[in-house]
Amino acid sequence: GAGVSQSPRYKVAKRGQDVALRCDPISGHVSLFWYQQALGQGPEFLTYFQNEAQLDKSGLPSDRFFAERPEGSVSTLKIQRTQQEDSAVYLCASSLVPSGGYLSYEQYFGPGTRLTVT
Amino acid sequence: QQPVQSPQAVILREGEDAVINCSSSKALYSVHWYRQKHGEAPVFLMILLKGGEQKGHEKISASFNEKKQQSSLYLTASQLSYSGTYFCGTEDSNYQLIWGAGTKLIIKP
């Protein structure tokens, strides 16, 4: 029944490795967001999907970051050639309705994936 | 541009009140408030929309001054469970919430 789930919960990667982070949103939720949260900071927007369409990817910090949601449900955030500055908690959130106009519905957050790059 | 939250931290005794402020330099469509406990996901508290509509929990109140681009969250008769970090997220363009750095609230018995 669930809420938003993310896997893995913890990931340790050596610098230069590729990682893939998974998000299972609440069933039927149209909107899906990825955020990056550094220790002691608020989440920072990475990208937004409406169903399978990636409508905004302006927050992705570099071309090493790539996100997809091919069937409009599960989403994967991939980071290639990880760097130490990529260490953070990656949060996924979903929302019931599309954000046309403005964000008028609550976002349900997953527990996050804590990525540590050594 | 990141909204500014104040105070950065506040310590209360159970039963006391607190106000957390969120200020932006840009015109806003909406302001969102969430609470995050250590190691957990942010949890929705309130949305305040341009034009005056509000959505949120009954026991939480907040204000949104569109002209001043400011919002305040009011916590009354605080309980131990209110402890956590409070984030405001401001929307100045479609789809993107820009989050403040958070206000850490500690409630002591």
Side-chain angles (χ1 to χ4, degrees), chain B residues 32-90:
Chain B
H32 298 227
W33 287 95
Y34 283 74
R35 179 175 60 223
Q36 187 176 32
K37 294 185 182 280
H38 183 70
E40 298 181 10
V43 173
F44 170 75
L45 295 176
M46 175 76 72
I47 297 174
L48 302 108
L49 303 173
K50 187 177 173 181
E53 186 180 354
Q54 295 188 2
K55 300 180 182 182
H57 297 288
E58 289 179 4
K59 294 186 177 180
I60 301 286
S61 65
S63 64
F64 178 21
N65 186 322
E66 294 174 37
K67 281 190 177 179
K68 292 186 177 179
Q69 293 138 207
Q70 291 175 347
S71 177
S72 295
L73 185 71
Y74 304 98
L75 302 169
T76 56
S78 58
Q79 303 171 19
L80 292 175
S81 62
Y82 289 8
S83 292
T85 301
Y86 289 75
F87 292 101
C88 71
T90 56

Side-chain angles (χ1 to χ4, degrees), chain A residues 2-78:
Chain A
V4 178
S5 61
Q6 292 186 244
S7 60
R9 289 293 313 276
Y10 303 91
K11 176 71 179 176
V12 178
K14 290 190 176 176
R15 191 172 57 178
Q17 281 184 333
D18 298 348
V19 298
L21 312 180
R22 178 187 168 108
C23 172
D24 279 87
I26 294 173
S27 177
H29 276 197
V30 170
S31 299
L32 187 144
F33 305 81
W34 281 100
Y35 296 94
Q36 181 189 61
Q37 187 175 27
L39 190 64
Q41 297 296 316
E44 284 198 29
F45 172 84
L46 294 177
T47 187
Y48 165 68
F49 289 87
Q50 188 177 113
N51 294 310
E52 68 277 5
Q54 189 174 22
L55 297 188
D56 189 341
K57 54 181 181 179
S58 63
L60 295 176
S62 77
D63 59 8
R64 297 185 295 104
F65 286 71
F66 170 77
E68 60 183 3
R69 195 187 184 198
E71 296 177 0
S73 55
V74 170
S75 177
T76 303
L77 176 68
K78 296 178 179 178

